[in-house]
């Protein structure tokens, strides 16, 4: 069979192969456009038991086209479907069983010279991949497959299911909603690479990178770092018509997570007030002292306090586990840090890695609970930044916000809230 598939008879032949395992790469209209605003041009399928891959033509200038629904049927017929980025894949095909190789072996596409030529010649063409020769797309995908295939594991690591099936869906559920913007103010504060990459009308889309060392997601797209928006620029982000923005912040999140690790109970008291009493200082100074010690090591003058005694014991035990066992397994996600893959590691740095992983794992579970509440509701969760959750809130859905608050109570977290007509809350 020829590698280009552009008729239903050819597609039926591929379907009838009963492929068990394959690598799939979606070639969108434009590699730089957010998948929420993109369309499918081609789909590359490489069965593991074949000597070549196949390109299915969905919308390309060189070929006849096959309906996306027919491609979907073929993909759903493959039990083990490996992709490079499952979160992006879900925008095009709602196949939740897909397996994300980048959690195991992060892989970026390296554009061919021909790709680079077309992108440079047509920087404003939002469907440039439709005019790049199919043979060059095939070459690109074959190269990606050859990089990935040796790294497909015989047995999936214990933590894989958590990230592939829970974290992916948790962050996809935020991303797809986008954020309403005041375009005039956005242009005042930010210069995107190209507006059409992530903006349509009055809505902008974010993109979470789940493949970081600690699995704490970054969120930067189209020249805007959504994980570190400066306060004065936040007025550019606004609610949908007749809604308001509501932000829920988790108070003293890392001290709380550390307390859970060491089984230390603060009760219902404000945690920073509790520390202020321990230290004999004001509230603001107490916050600074606590964070300095969690991230930089326990100070000798506070080493006698029970909380920090237990913190130091935990740090020492975790370090011994990593040094002598050569790996450390995180709670909840079961993600594993391997000694030989960590650079310039020390006991306090390992503790920070554990906290960051625990934060993301805990938040993944929180997000999935919130998504269940918001299913078929007008209220949407539109941004996540570690200890902060931003909602585009329909004021008529009061029971929704009450249910969301109960989720944080379920995880024994103290919260505070802000609301307003823009993200600056002023």
């Amino acid at each position: 069979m020829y590698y280009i598939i552009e008729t239903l008879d050819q597609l039926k032949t591929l379907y009838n192969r009963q492929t068990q395992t394959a690598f799939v790469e979606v070639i969108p209209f434009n590699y730089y456009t957010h998948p929420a605003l993109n369309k499918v041009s081609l789909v590359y399928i490489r069965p593991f038991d074949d000597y070549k891959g196949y390109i299915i033509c969905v919308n390309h200038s060189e070929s006849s086209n096959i309906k996306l629904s027919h491609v979907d049927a073929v993909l759903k017929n493959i039990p083990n479907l490996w992709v490079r980025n499952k979160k992006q894949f879900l925008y095009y095909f709602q196949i939740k069983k897909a397996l994300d190789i980048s959690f195991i072996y992060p892989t970026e596409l390296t554009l061919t010279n021909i790709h680079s030529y077309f992108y440079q010649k047509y920087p404003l063409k939002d469907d440039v991949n439709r005019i790049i020769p199919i043979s060059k797309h095939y070459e690109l995908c074959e190269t990606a497959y050859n990089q990935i295939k040796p790294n497909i594991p015989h047995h999936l690591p214990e933590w894989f299911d958590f990230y592939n099936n829970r974290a992916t869906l948790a962050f996809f559920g935020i991303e797809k909603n986008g954020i309403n913007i005041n375009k005039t103010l956005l242009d005042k504060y930010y210069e995107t690479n190209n507006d059409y990459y992530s903006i349509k009308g009055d809505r902008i889309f974010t993109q979470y990178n789940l493949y970081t060392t600690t699995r704490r997601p970054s969120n930067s797209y189209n020249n805007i770092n959504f994980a570190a928006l400066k306060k004065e620029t936040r007025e550019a982000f606004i609610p949908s018509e007749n809604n308001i923005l509501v932000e829920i912040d988790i108070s003293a999140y890392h001290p709380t997570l550390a307390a859970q690790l060491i089984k230390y109970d603060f009760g219902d008291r404000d945690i920073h007030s509790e520390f202020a009493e321990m230290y004999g200082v004001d509230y603001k100074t107490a916050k600074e002292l606590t964070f300095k010690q969690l991230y930089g090591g326990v100070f000798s003058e506070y080493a006698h306090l029970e909380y920090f005694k237990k913190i130091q014991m935990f740090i020492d035990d975790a370090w011994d586990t990593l040094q002598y066992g050569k790996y450390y397994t995180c709670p909840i996600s079961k993600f594993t840090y391997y000694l030989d893959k960590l650079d310039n590691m020390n006991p306090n740095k390992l503790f920070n890695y554990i906290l960051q992983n625990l934060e993301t794992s805990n938040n993944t579970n929180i997000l999935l609970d919130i998504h269940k509440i918001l299913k078929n509701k007008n209220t949407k969760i539109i941004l996540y930044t570690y200890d902060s959750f931003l909602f585009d809130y329909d004021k008529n859905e009061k029971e929704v916000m009450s249910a969301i608050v109960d989720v944080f109570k379920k995880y024994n977290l103290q919260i505070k809230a802000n609301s307003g007509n823009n993200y600056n809350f002023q």
Side-chain angles (χ1 to χ4, degrees):
M1 186 167 64
Y2 194 52
Y3 76 89
I4 296 178
I5 295 177
E6 52 184 332
T7 69
L8 285 178
D9 284 342
Q10 291 171 329
L11 190 66
K12 185 176 180 181
T13 300
L14 182 61
Y15 180 91
N16 289 335
R17 289 184 83 262
Q18 296 298 309
T19 297
Q20 295 300 302
T21 305
F23 168 65
V24 174
E25 180 73 28
V26 175
I27 295 95
F29 276 18
N30 189 305
Y31 281 122
Y32 298 123
T33 302
H34 194 284
L37 305 176
N38 228 328
K39 295 180 180 179
V40 178
S41 176
L42 306 163
V43 178
Y44 169 86
I45 300 179
R46 176 63 186 265
F48 279 21
D49 61 353
D50 206 334
Y51 67 93
K52 66 179 180 182
Y54 302 91
I55 286 273
I56 304 174
C57 302
V58 176
N59 192 333
H60 195 277
S61 63
E62 292 182 345
S63 67
S64 301
N65 299 318
I66 293 175
K67 289 183 179 179
L68 205 60
S69 59
H70 295 311
V71 183
D72 185 71
V74 171
L75 297 181
K76 286 178 177 175
N77 194 45
I78 301 173
N80 300 299
L81 206 63
W82 287 95
V83 297
R84 274 191 321 106
N85 188 318
K86 181 176 177 177
K87 180 160 60 61
Q88 290 188 23
F89 180 76
L90 289 173
Y91 284 96
Y92 307 117
F93 299 100
Q94 292 290 305
I95 303 177
K96 294 181 180 180
K97 69 179 180 181
L99 305 166
D100 193 334
I101 185 58
S102 290
F103 284 124
I104 296 169
Y105 181 76
T107 304
E108 294 288 338
L109 288 180
T110 303
L111 297 183
T112 68
N113 291 335
I114 295 297
H115 281 83
S116 298
Y117 167 79
F118 275 91
Y119 274 90
Q120 290 169 11
K121 185 175 181 180
Y122 304 105
L124 299 180
K125 188 170 177 56
D126 62 3
D127 63 347
V128 64
N129 280 343
R130 292 185 64 253
I131 62 172
I132 295 174
I134 293 175
S135 61
K136 303 313 291 184
H137 289 305
Y138 182 81
E139 177 186 329
L140 185 69
C141 293
E142 286 280 286
T143 299
Y145 170 78
N146 289 330
Q147 291 175 342
I148 288 167
K149 179 59 168 65
N151 294 285
I152 300 291
H154 295 295
H155 301 286
L156 293 173
E158 184 180 4
W159 51 262
F160 183 81
D161 179 73
F162 184 88
Y163 292 100
N164 188 68
N165 295 321
R166 294 185 67 79
T168 296
L169 294 179
F171 289 96
F172 173 74
I174 307 172
E175 245 184 48
K176 66 182 178 63
N177 294 325
I179 308 174
N180 267 45
I181 55 172
N182 179 318
K183 186 62 166 61
T184 301
L185 289 175
L186 189 81
D187 290 342
K188 174 183 174 182
Y189 295 119
Y190 296 101
E191 183 178 354
T192 64
N193 296 322
N194 264 316
D195 279 2
Y196 77 80
Y197 289 170
S198 62
I199 298 172
K200 184 174 183 180
D202 60 358
R203 190 166 293 264
I204 191 169
F205 289 88
T206 67
Q207 190 167 91
Y208 296 91
N209 172 22
L210 306 182
Y211 310 124
T212 63
T213 301
T214 65
R215 293 300 189 255
R216 191 189 207 203
S218 57
N219 184 13
S220 183
Y221 196 71
N222 202 9
N223 207 35
I224 300 177
N225 185 356
F226 293 93
L229 296 171
K230 293 181 179 179
K231 185 169 178 57
E232 64 271 16
T233 72
R234 295 184 177 191
E235 64 176 336
F237 302 95
I238 59 176
S240 302
E241 187 176 358
N242 299 322
N243 285 7
I244 62 171
L245 293 185
V246 175
E247 180 183 50
I248 293 180
D249 285 322
I250 302 173
S251 302
Y253 199 11
H254 278 197
T256 300
L257 292 174
Q260 293 174 2
L261 286 173
I262 63 174
K263 296 179 171 53
Y264 185 93
D265 186 10
F266 283 103
D268 295 329
R269 289 201 59 191
D270 180 279
I271 291 172
H272 291 305
S273 294
E274 188 89 354
F275 277 120
E277 285 189 16
M278 292 183 197
Y279 303 141
V281 299
D282 62 73
Y283 190 92
K284 181 180 178 181
T285 304
K287 286 181 68 173
E288 293 173 356
L289 286 171
T290 300
F291 288 122
K292 284 179 180 177
Q293 293 180 88
L294 282 181
Y295 306 140
V298 176
F299 298 165
S300 58
E301 59 264 45
Y302 303 119
H304 66 284
L305 297 173
E306 182 185 359
Y307 179 86
F308 288 112
K309 276 185 181 178
K310 290 186 173 183
I311 289 291
Q312 192 60 58
M313 288 176 60
F314 182 91
I315 290 172
D316 292 342
D317 287 346
W319 183 247
D320 286 345
T321 298
L322 181 67
Q323 290 295 302
Y324 298 112
K326 307 303 179 186
Y327 67 90
Y328 182 88
T329 301
C330 297
I332 300 181
S333 68
K334 303 305 178 185
F335 185 69
T336 303
Y337 293 123
Y338 289 96
L339 181 61
D340 62 354
K341 295 182 179 179
L342 298 172
D343 295 327
N344 302 314
M345 190 51 58
N346 61 58
N348 286 315
K349 187 176 179 181
L350 175 62
F351 182 57
N352 291 334
Y353 274 32
I354 294 168
L355 279 181
Q356 288 185 24
N357 185 273
L358 179 59
E359 169 197 86
T360 304
S361 302
N362 206 45
N363 287 346
T364 292
N365 291 336
I366 290 170
L367 287 168
L368 290 174
D369 285 350
I370 289 172
H371 290 326
K372 290 177 184 177
I373 294 168
L374 296 181
K375 186 176 181 180
N376 300 322
K377 302 294 184 181
N378 292 325
T379 297
K380 306 295 181 187
I381 181 167
I382 56 175
L383 189 65
Y384 156 93
T385 45
Y386 312 130
D387 60 356
S388 174
F389 300 71
L390 185 65
F391 299 87
D392 190 341
Y393 173 54
D394 183 339
K395 295 178 293 234
N396 295 316
E397 296 180 336
K398 293 181 180 179
E399 77 288 349
V400 163
M401 195 51 63
S402 177
I404 290 171
V405 169
D406 286 342
V407 170
F408 291 95
K409 289 179 181 178
K410 169 185 170 182
Y411 291 92
N412 299 313
L413 298 170
Q414 298 177 9
I415 60 172
K416 56 187 178 182
N418 279 314
S419 63
N421 293 318
N422 64 59
Y423 191 24
N424 207 6
F425 301 121
Q426 290 184 345

